[in-house]
Amino acid sequence: MAIKRYVTGFALAAALLSSAGCDRLAEVGKLAGDALNQVSGGKEEDAPVLVVTDEQILAAASVDDRALFAPMQAPIELTPINVDELLQTQRFYAVGSIIAMPKAQITEPVLEPESFALTATPEPSAASALNTDDAPVPESFEIPAGPPVAAEAPTAPAPEANRTTKDGAPAILKPGVNLPRAQVKLPSAGELRQQAQVIAPKALKEAVRDSGVQLKPEILREARKSADAAMKASTLTAQDIGDSIARKAADATAPIPKPLQVRARLDVDSAVAVRDKAGRQLEKLGLSGIVTPGEGGQMRITIGVNPTQFREGRIDLQKVETMRALFAPQKRRGQEECAGVPDMAKMKADPVLATECVVKVLQETGDYEYVEKDFIFTNQMMKKPPAAKPVTVAGYKPNDPLYSLQWHFRDNGTAVGQSAGGASFNSFWDRAKDTGSRDVVVAVVDTGLQMNHPDIKGSPNLAPGFDMVSDPIMGNDGDGRDTDPNDPGDKCDPNDAATSDSFHGTHVAGTIGVASTNNSAGVAGGAWNVTIVPVRALGRCGGKLSDINDAIRWAAGTVPGRDAQGHEVWNSKPADIINMSIGLFGPCPASMQAAINDAVAAGAIVVSAAGNARVDTQYFAPGGCQNVISVAANDARGVLTPYSNFGANVTIMAPGGDMSRDDDKDGRPDGVLSTKYMKNCTDPAKPGAKVAQCYYAYENGTSMAAPHVSAALALLKTKFPTAVPSELKTRLLQATTPRTNLQCSGLCSAYPGSTPIEGQPNMCYRPCGGRMLNLSNAQLQ
């Protein structure tokens, strides 16, 4: 039976509606309105109710506004898992790229108002800017057959000893070739001083001026104290610091604008000393490379034998072999070969060994809090098996034609129009009489967005973002970091016909609310009104840990991004909530935990997918990191999905879907329906009708579960704008329904580390947070 939506109407208008045969429901609505005026004298409050069914709304929409990708998938095979083996074979890192956190602090807090409130300052230079409210939008929406190839004019090769890459790094020579003396590129102190300059952009000056705040010395001292505390945040202290900053931001007596509170810049003298020491350690190993300190306090070390820096001649982005050379599995090797003084010849011939040895040698110096490889994260979307004028709808049900197929937003229950796995967004909209606010900012750290998606282009919910992918090959867009977070595709092997670009970030952001909701087109988002900041950190084949760390801090507004010219680009809308539907098979990297701590200390809430590996989140990141809301996935029955990770660190379950099931018997898979370009689609209003392309698709995974929680937090933040992050988390956990052990269970043989359930042979409990998102239980007082 169809879910009915109601508009102001009359029985006569209902008859017109059922028989008019108009192409667009707007025309039917006009006829209904004319009939109402005749009968009620134009008084809407005197008119009875006109029923408009979901089928009628769907039929009235254009094909572009309703076509979708909805294939059923085969159930996943629940084969036994060897966690130790998977940790060595399913965790990859970028060869030659290393992250190190010196024990000596190389950054210092900066409160930008200090630089212009008490003394005269120069106008902002081109080296420092805030991103604007005009998000970049391509002229046309075309999905190319493959990623573009950047042609380069052929040049005569440089002599072996003098060859460098475009960015000035020593070129990578082929294994077996005798290398010249090691060259370590160390930016001059002058360059670092220029990088460390934080010139207050005009927009920041105006923000303070417009706030009417008199930045007296005592206010600045207090704010600087908060900034200094945030810079020193740890896993244990980050939440308290973030709550404190949020309280001050909401307090009219201490109105330091949030973007100006917690920022970091290099302490150049300290950075130069630490960087030079690392450079000497590389030279001692006979390796070339670049040592670059960053505003986050970490150093990125790029070894000169790194294939990611290999730029001999033209780059062919189509060759998957080039991509595979970028990564190596995390295998236990190098302990003997790297012992003592590693063999220089072996390291020069073997980039993987060189990476292992540099990590080991730097760790043993005792100069660093941590040294780790630059791990590769992937999205947590389940991989597929090979193969006109809007109608006015009463209440708070959106008129988007595909909303009726979004079971995951339905009220939780078993009655008609409900779903046992639904998160009750509809109930919250009705009870709170609120659908969100653009004052609430959600940053989506992901693959970027399809900027010209018809339901996203021009959306008032889209704010400027940033492309943090540093490597042009992985970026798949021919350049490095810049202000264009458009998603050009992330397909790893362009020659593999069985795979396609995921457009993962577009799907995730659509669930939160980046698309226009209640516009009679496509799908609805959890928050109709919200500000989405896309931060692109994943590209072709995944994303580097170093890029993701920078993306987290940029999203929180604590560090700037830098474009190809080295210009600063600050996030003008620091996030209240950061969504990370990404994953790495392995424990939480220390550098990622530090980045998360910094974001939390700045007042952001970090939401993460638990992961799709069927293992405890202690073996997964960021779902297993501290100071995150780790989200497992439930299906349309309200049961933990077979693919979902589990464990003590899981906070909550939310709809992630299961494309192998159709529990609501609507003939479509029980995936999460959201924005995404696809080919080979169907028309839901005409069973069996094929459509060449569409802009909406079902997907499943913990990647789909996390944005439901981010959207729920955005709604709660709207309802309680002065609530600090820890209070919002408490309200989130109240907006849930308890789950039994059996509702979060599975075969013991399929889930290592799960707990046997008494009286249930072969069944084991998988800790799922013990609760499922259900906004009908949200406390609104």
Side-chain angles (χ1 to χ4, degrees):
M1 182 174 178
I3 305 171
K4 297 179 180 179
R5 288 183 250 180
Y6 299 87
V7 299
T8 305
F10 206 82
L12 174 59
L16 285 172
L17 180 60
S18 63
S19 62
C22 299
D23 290 334
R24 299 290 292 172
L25 195 57
E27 299 178 30
V28 180
K30 184 177 184 303
L31 291 174
D34 292 343
L36 289 172
N37 288 334
Q38 292 178 24
V39 176
S40 67
K43 296 180 180 179
E44 185 175 338
E45 63 272 16
D46 296 334
V49 172
L50 167 66
V51 178
V52 180
T53 67
D54 290 322
E55 287 81 358
Q56 289 168 326
I57 291 178
L58 190 64
S62 70
V63 173
D64 276 352
D65 290 339
R66 73 189 186 207
L68 50 80
F69 184 76
M72 293 291 295
Q73 295 181 5
I76 65 171
E77 296 184 21
L78 298 178
T79 54
I81 290 176
N82 184 319
V83 174
D84 189 61
E85 178 182 341
L86 292 176
L87 284 171
Q88 297 185 54
T89 59
Q90 299 302 309
R91 185 164 49 146
F92 291 80
Y93 61 88
V95 177
S97 186
I98 295 165
I99 301 169
M101 172 62 86
K103 288 184 176 178
Q105 186 168 317
I106 64 173
T107 58
E108 59 185 357
V110 57
L111 188 67
E112 291 192 352
E114 286 184 320
S115 67
F116 60 86
L118 305 178
T119 59
T121 56
E123 284 300 309
S125 71
S128 181
L130 278 174
N131 52 357
T132 68
D133 286 331
D134 299 318
V137 179
E139 289 299 319
S140 61
F141 183 79
E142 295 182 2
I143 304 297
V149 177
E152 298 181 2
T155 56
E160 292 280 335
N162 299 324
R163 187 177 302 157
T164 60
T165 66
K166 289 182 177 179
D167 56 9
I172 306 314
L173 306 182
K174 298 176 181 178
V177 176
N178 291 327
L179 293 179
R181 181 181 177 275
Q183 303 174 42
V184 178
K185 181 176 175 60
L186 303 174
S188 68
E191 290 177 293
L192 287 179
R193 290 188 191 283
Q194 183 177 5
Q195 176 182 340
Q197 289 178 356
V198 182
I199 302 174
K202 184 178 180 181
L204 289 180
K205 293 185 179 182
E206 292 175 349
V208 175
R209 181 198 66 202
D210 295 343
S211 71
V213 178
Q214 292 184 351
L215 295 178
K216 299 177 182 179
E218 56 269 25
I219 293 178
L220 290 172
R221 281 195 295 271
E222 181 64 24
R224 186 172 180 82
K225 188 187 301 182
S226 296
D228 185 65
M231 285 285 296
K232 299 174 182 177
S234 68
T235 301
L236 296 177
T237 64
Q239 186 65 74
D240 288 341
I241 294 171
D243 285 352
S244 175
I245 288 175
R247 286 191 184 95
K248 290 175 182 177
D251 184 355
T253 64
I256 299 296
K258 183 177 178 181
L260 312 182
Q261 288 181 332
V262 184
R263 296 201 168 182
R265 67 180 171 197
L266 287 175
D267 179 340
V268 176
D269 293 333
S270 298
V272 167
V274 172
R275 179 212 60 187
D276 288 351
K277 188 171 184 178
R280 290 192 296 271
Q281 290 164 335
L282 278 185
E283 288 180 332
K284 187 175 180 180
L285 293 172
L287 297 173
S288 301
I290 305 174
V291 182
T292 308
E295 279 92 354
Q298 302 164 348
M299 293 196 308
R300 183 171 177 177
I301 301 170
T302 306
I303 303 173
V305 290
N306 177 8
T308 64
Q309 298 295 331
F310 187 54
R311 300 289 187 267
E312 287 188 352
R314 184 183 182 200
I315 306 170
D316 187 352
L317 296 179
Q318 299 289 333
K319 290 185 177 178
V320 70
E321 290 79 9
T322 305
M323 292 302 300
R324 285 177 177 154
L326 297 174
F327 312 132
Q330 170 71 1
K331 295 182 178 179
R332 291 175 182 164
R333 56 161 299 186
Q335 295 301 312
E336 296 181 1
E337 294 170 286
C338 296
V341 180
D343 187 284
M344 293 185 184
K346 286 185 178 180
M347 287 192 296
K348 290 175 180 178
D350 186 347
V352 175
L353 178 64
T355 306
E356 298 274 359
C357 290
V358 170
V359 170
K360 184 173 184 295
V361 169
L362 292 182
Q363 285 174 337
E364 291 174 347
T365 64
D367 295 332
Y368 302 92
E369 296 287 347
Y370 54 78
V371 182
E372 57 192 6
K373 305 177 184 92
D374 204 346
F375 291 106
I376 302 299
F377 284 68
T378 58
N379 68 60
Q380 291 305 294
M381 180 186 286
M382 286 295 291
K383 302 299 186 291
K384 296 180 177 61
K389 180 182 177 181
V391 175
T392 302
V393 179
Y396 287 84
K397 285 186 178 179
N399 60 20
D400 304 274
L402 297 179
Y403 171 69
S404 63
L405 306 183
Q406 294 179 282
W407 60 268
H408 36 100
F409 287 148
R410 291 181 193 166
D411 289 345
N412 188 267
T414 57
V416 173
Q418 297 180 333
S419 171
S424 299
F425 277 78
N426 191 84
S427 170
F428 185 93
W429 300 330
D430 275 330
R431 290 192 306 120
K433 296 184 174 16
D434 206 331
T435 56
S437 167
R438 294 194 184 99
D439 290 334
V440 179
V441 181
V442 182
V444 180
V445 177
D446 215 292
T447 64
L449 288 182
Q450 292 174 282
M451 288 297 189
N452 226 2
H453 186 288
D455 216 3
I456 294 175
K457 182 180 180 180
S459 169
N461 295 350
L462 177 61
F466 196 79
D467 179 0
M468 200 61 76
V469 180
S470 58
D471 188 279
I473 296 180
M474 292 186 73
N476 200 24
D477 56 1
D479 54 32
R481 294 181 174 182
D482 56 33
T483 57
D484 181 9
N486 187 61
D487 183 353
D490 60 355
K491 184 175 178 177
C492 199
D493 182 357
N495 301 312
D496 184 357
T499 62
S500 61
D501 293 311
S502 74
F503 299 116
H504 182 267
T506 301
H507 197 280
V508 168
T511 297
I512 300 170
V514 71
S516 298
T517 293
N518 205 38
N519 65 341
S520 293
V523 296
W528 301 14
N529 303 296
V530 66
T531 293
I532 300 292
V533 175
V535 190
R536 186 171 182 247
L538 273 65
R540 192 176 173 194
C541 304
K544 290 183 178 180
L545 171 60
S546 54
D547 290 341
I548 295 168
N549 292 341
D550 289 346
I552 295 170
R553 290 188 171 96
W554 187 88
T558 64
V559 301
R562 293 186 182 275
D563 60 19
Q565 290 73 43
H567 299 157
E568 290 181 358
V569 182
W570 290 90
N571 180 10
S572 63
K573 298 183 184 299
D576 298 295
I577 302 149
I578 300 175
N579 190 97
M580 294 201 297
S581 291
I582 61 177
L584 167 73
F585 203 118
C588 184
S591 61
M592 172 167 276
Q593 186 63 68
I596 290 170
N597 292 345
D598 287 350
V600 171
I605 299 174
V606 180
V607 178
S608 169
N612 304 335
R614 294 192 284 134
V615 298
D616 193 300
T617 52
Q618 66 177 307
Y619 304 114
F620 221 80
C625 297
Q626 300 303 304
N627 287 330
V628 304
I629 294 176
S630 184
V631 187
N634 64 260
D635 62 16
R637 300 170 299 167
V639 172
L640 185 64
T641 60
Y643 56 77
S644 182
N645 285 354
F646 54 91
N649 205 57
V650 171
T651 311
I652 190 173
M653 285 201 310
D658 186 342
M659 299 270 290
S660 70
R661 302 187 66 89
D662 179 20
D663 290 303
D664 58 5
K665 308 302 180 185
D666 67 352
R668 300 178 184 90
D670 290 341
V672 170
L673 183 57
S674 185
T675 46
K676 176 181 175 178
Y677 174 87
M678 288 296 292
K679 295 180 179 179
N680 302 317
C681 307
T682 59
D683 183 348
K686 298 179 180 179
K690 302 296 183 182
V691 180
Q693 65 179 22
C694 59
Y695 303 98
Y696 308 95
Y698 286 102
E699 294 292 354
N700 55 180
T702 54
S703 272
M704 285 58 257
H708 284 86
V709 171
S710 293
L713 285 166
L715 293 175
L716 291 169
K717 176 69 174 174
T718 300
K719 187 66 177 175
F720 304 99
T722 62
V724 301
S726 63
E727 292 169 348
L728 289 174
K729 290 180 183 178
T730 298
R731 289 189 175 277
L732 173 72
L733 297 183
Q734 290 172 341
T736 57
T737 293
R739 296 289 86 181
T740 66
N741 285 5
L742 274 178
Q743 289 170 316
C744 295
S745 64
L747 291 173
C748 298
S749 59
Y751 301 99
S754 54
T755 306
I757 300 175
E758 186 176 354
Q760 299 291 331
N762 303 320
M763 296 298 289
C764 279
Y765 172 58
R766 297 184 286 151
C768 60
R771 52 178 67 91
M772 177 180 69
L773 181 63
N774 181 2
L775 285 167
S776 66
N777 291 332
Q779 302 299 308
L780 300 182
Q781 300 299 324

